[in-house]
Amino acid sequence: MKKQLDKELEHLRFTKQRNVIDQISKPTWKQRLNSLWHKEIEIPLLPVAAVGMLIVLLASLTFADNEISYTTRDSKETIKIGGNVYWKEDYEKLVKKYEN
């Protein structure tokens, strides 16, 4: 029976000995790092999109209440002193404050 099996299988050659031995032996740190580097990650689209939309919604609601208010001035005159530009009324207030 063994002779018959050997005769039937003599044309088959096992060529993956190295792969089998590599799988049996303990992996080195390089092999572990390589397998970690080549690991495929599947990220489900629906939960990620839902979390992203939630973050955008919360951010828009948070910053919607913080309106920027602009003050209007009666005098729109500016003064240029020493290369800097100041509102005339603010400059006059500061000058009066430091003169006293």
Side-chain angles (χ1 to χ4, degrees):
M1 185 185 248
K2 182 176 178 342
K3 287 181 182 181
Q4 184 181 358
L5 183 64
D6 287 341
K7 186 175 181 177
E8 289 177 6
L9 298 177
E10 71 182 7
H11 66 280
L12 297 176
R13 297 285 180 233
F14 184 64
T15 58
K16 302 282 185 172
Q17 296 98 341
R18 188 74 236 158
N19 292 350
V20 173
I21 292 172
D22 288 343
Q23 289 177 358
I24 293 172
S25 64
K26 202 173 193 181
T28 63
W29 66 271
K30 280 186 175 182
Q31 291 171 334
R32 288 181 186 170
L33 183 63
N34 193 24
S35 67
L36 180 67
W37 182 255
H38 293 291
K39 189 170 191 130
E40 292 185 22
I41 300 173
E42 292 183 19
I43 301 173
L45 183 61
L46 187 61
V48 171
V51 169
M53 291 300 291
L54 184 64
I55 290 171
V56 169
L57 179 65
L58 289 175
S60 65
L61 289 176
T62 302
F63 296 116
D65 294 336
N66 300 335
E67 294 179 12
I68 300 172
S69 62
Y70 296 100
T71 57
T72 58
R73 297 189 178 255
D74 294 334
S75 67
K76 295 182 181 183
E77 292 183 59
T78 57
I79 304 172
K80 187 172 184 179
I81 300 172
N84 297 318
V85 179
Y86 301 99
W87 291 106
K88 185 176 181 178
E89 62 185 37
D90 289 342
Y91 180 74
E92 289 172 354
K93 286 179 188 176
L94 286 172
V95 169
K96 286 180 186 177
K97 180 181 176 181
Y98 287 109
E99 283 182 348
N100 294 333

